[in-house]
Amino acid sequence: MRFKYKFLFFNESTLEEVWSVRLSRLSVFTYAFIFAFILITLTSVIIILTPIRNYLPGYLDIEVRKDILQNALRADSLEEMIAAQSNYIRNLSDILSGNIRMDSVQVGDTVSFITSNYDIPRSDRESAYIQKFEEEEKYNLTALNPDPPQTDIFFYRPLNGIISSAFDEDRGHFGTDLTSALKENVIATLDGTVIYTGFDPKYGNVISLQHKNDFISIYKHNDIVLKEIGDRVVAGEAIAIVGNTGELSTGPHLHFELWHRGAPVNPEEYIAF
């Protein structure tokens, strides 16, 4: 490896030695390794410290995606404000041009509330029925049913995959199965806190997140769990790697469950898979 070789460069016409260098196999390997290391380091620095990383698949910043969502919401609000302002200007123009009489316009809020103040006495039969109903429903637990889950929350898709098995509460399948290739990232569907990580013989590596508005998301059959109990995560952040763990797994996929106040809900009603 350390035997020296001499490389000579001659002028073809005069056979004069132009340049020479003495190299060994070890020095060639060393220079090649140093050149590759410098090239990889420069490439990594350029990707990390410059916006070019946003053009590479999978490197889009979470903050950028959140900004895109917020800008879309702002644009929608501005459209509503512009529409309301246009209606106001059009009505004002009609009033000034005489198309609408001024005395026919009520000044006030565009939304009117009807308040009734009827003083109708109750009959004895009606009062007795109301009292009986109140006594019967006083200890009825059905009156304490939780409010339905909100549908105006933006949920991230936990995995870029294909639905292989849908939600079916009747047969005890409380989630949605998504198939994909191995080593794909499983991401958090909402901002939240990790409340459970562990291994289950049937469901393999499992991770659960507690979100606001009483939502809990559960991710099963993972190959690797990337977070620990108590970690705070943001929507779109990788929390696990897709796997094929557990007795009930028949291939690389994610079993995703969404719960609200102790009851399972159909993830397809909140997430566009």
Side-chain angles (χ1 to χ4, degrees):
M1 292 294 292
R2 297 184 178 181
F3 184 81
K4 296 288 186 178
Y5 294 89
K6 185 175 183 180
F7 292 90
L8 300 176
F9 293 84
F10 292 94
N11 188 323
E12 186 179 1
S13 301
T14 63
L15 298 180
E16 179 185 359
E17 181 180 337
V18 178
W19 182 71
S20 64
V21 61
R22 296 175 61 85
L23 293 172
S24 65
R25 294 181 181 178
L26 180 61
S27 62
V28 171
F29 292 147
T30 302
Y31 294 148
F33 175 78
I34 294 173
F35 175 76
F37 177 78
I38 294 174
L39 182 62
I40 294 173
T41 302
L42 289 176
T43 304
S44 301
V45 169
I46 292 174
I47 293 176
I48 294 173
L49 300 181
T50 63
I52 196 173
R53 67 181 183 276
N54 294 328
Y55 295 96
L56 300 178
Y59 278 91
L60 185 61
D61 239 348
I62 296 174
E63 295 297 329
V64 174
R65 286 186 284 183
K66 295 179 70 173
D67 290 341
I68 293 173
L69 176 61
Q70 291 177 357
N71 290 334
L73 295 176
R74 291 193 189 100
D76 183 68
S77 299
L78 288 174
E79 288 180 358
E80 293 182 358
M81 293 177 62
I82 292 173
Q85 191 71 16
S86 299
N87 290 333
Y88 174 78
I89 294 174
R90 183 165 53 251
N91 292 335
L92 184 61
S93 176
D94 291 337
I95 293 172
L96 295 177
S97 61
N99 295 331
I100 300 177
R101 292 177 56 188
M102 187 63 186
D103 56 2
S104 65
V105 179
Q106 283 187 332
V107 180
D109 195 356
T110 54
V111 181
S112 60
F113 297 92
I114 301 175
T115 57
S116 57
N117 187 19
Y118 301 114
D119 188 13
I120 302 176
R122 294 176 179 174
S123 64
D124 295 338
R125 183 178 178 183
E126 183 180 3
S127 300
Y129 175 79
I130 293 175
Q131 184 178 2
K132 179 181 177 181
F133 179 80
E134 290 177 350
E135 289 295 329
E136 291 177 352
E137 293 297 323
K138 182 184 296 184
Y139 303 105
N140 190 355
L141 295 179
T142 59
L144 302 177
N145 284 338
D147 298 331
Q150 292 178 312
T151 58
D152 57 348
I153 304 175
F154 178 78
F155 291 82
Y156 278 83
R157 184 168 50 184
L159 178 68
N160 291 325
I162 301 174
I163 296 177
S164 59
S165 182
F167 176 88
D168 190 348
E169 189 174 2
D170 294 336
R171 63 183 182 90
H173 192 257
F174 300 118
T176 300
D177 290 342
L178 301 170
T179 60
S180 71
L182 282 171
K183 307 304 179 183
E184 289 288 334
N185 288 337
V186 177
I187 65 174
T189 188
L190 287 174
D191 297 347
T193 303
V194 179
I195 59 174
Y196 173 78
T197 61
F199 181 82
D200 185 277
K202 292 183 178 181
Y203 301 106
N205 293 317
V206 181
I207 180 171
S208 302
L209 306 179
Q210 174 70 59
H211 309 288
K212 62 181 181 179
N213 301 322
D214 301 317
F215 277 103
I216 293 178
S217 60
I218 304 175
Y219 313 77
K220 299 180 179 180
H221 302 301
N222 301 293
D223 184 35
I224 301 174
V225 174
L226 304 178
K227 299 296 181 180
E228 297 180 354
I229 295 177
D231 289 346
R232 291 282 301 170
V233 298
V234 296
E237 182 178 357
I239 59 174
I241 304 297
V242 170
N244 185 25
T245 58
E247 298 175 359
L248 299 181
S249 180
T250 57
H253 78 288
L254 169 68
H255 177 84
F256 175 73
E257 296 181 6
L258 194 62
W259 293 68
H260 182 263
R261 296 187 180 179
V265 295
N266 187 356
E268 295 183 52
E269 296 180 359
Y270 303 91
I271 306 173
F273 292 102

